[in-house]
Amino acid sequence: MKEFVIAEGRKEDIPEILEVMRGAEAGLPCRDWYVTDGEEFFEAHMGEEGFVLTARDGESSRLAGFLAVRIPGLAEDNLGRFLGLEEEELKKTAHMESAAVAPLFRGNGLQGRMMAEAERMLKERGFDRLMGTVHPENRY
């Protein structure tokens, strides 16, 4: 299996992240399935609002994919509110916000590997409710 380095993203990674995201959107049969974000979104997620994981090809160091994780706290859009979670539970909730893998690197299980690393990191930080949304018609 191809080797990748998964690490926390930095602001310098944002142009490459945006490129991977645009490529993912362009390849979808229905663009409504994937909501793209901008530079401000990723900057916020690399600060107090969460973190972004990047996966880089072990040989070329090229960005292969990313996963943005948001820690919403008591925000009104915390997905835990849909489940009726109490305030203390909301504080332990994180969102798996956005992910994409560049076409050249698909088929290596990267999204799952980044998700597993994010879950490990979040559990270490005391989070035990990890949520995300997917368009119901997006079979990918």
Side-chain angles (χ1 to χ4, degrees):
M1 183 177 273
K2 194 164 183 56
E3 292 295 318
F4 294 92
V5 177
I6 297 175
E8 282 199 54
R10 303 174 321 238
K11 289 184 180 178
E12 303 85 53
D13 297 323
I14 292 174
E16 288 177 285
I17 290 169
L18 294 174
E19 184 179 325
V20 168
M21 187 174 49
R22 285 189 295 269
E25 179 189 38
L28 287 173
C30 181
R31 290 197 175 172
D32 291 342
W33 291 355
Y34 185 64
V35 177
T36 57
D37 299 291
E39 188 172 336
E40 289 178 10
F41 171 89
F42 289 101
E43 283 181 4
H45 283 69
M46 291 178 180
E48 291 181 23
E49 289 188 33
F51 58 90
V52 177
L53 292 181
T54 58
R56 291 191 173 277
D57 177 43
E59 293 176 23
S60 68
S61 294
R62 184 173 170 193
L63 186 68
F66 72 88
L67 169 66
V69 177
R70 178 170 171 237
I71 299 170
L74 298 176
E76 284 301 313
D77 65 343
N78 186 323
L79 294 174
R81 292 189 187 281
F82 291 103
L83 301 177
L85 298 182
E86 299 294 326
E87 194 169 287
E88 284 306 309
E89 296 171 303
L90 292 172
K91 292 177 185 176
K92 297 179 183 179
T93 300
H95 296 179
M96 305 313 207
E97 286 280 311
S98 182
V101 175
L104 181 64
F105 299 104
R106 291 182 187 151
N108 288 288
L110 268 181
Q111 190 165 337
R113 289 160 69 179
M114 289 186 291
M115 189 75 71
E117 178 62 12
E119 288 176 4
R120 184 195 65 73
M121 293 170 66
L122 288 162
K123 286 179 184 176
E124 281 182 359
R125 297 175 188 184
F127 291 86
D128 58 7
R129 287 163 177 80
L130 313 179
M131 300 185 176
T133 61
V134 178
H135 192 282
E137 295 174 10
N138 185 348
R139 65 181 175 84
Y140 302 104

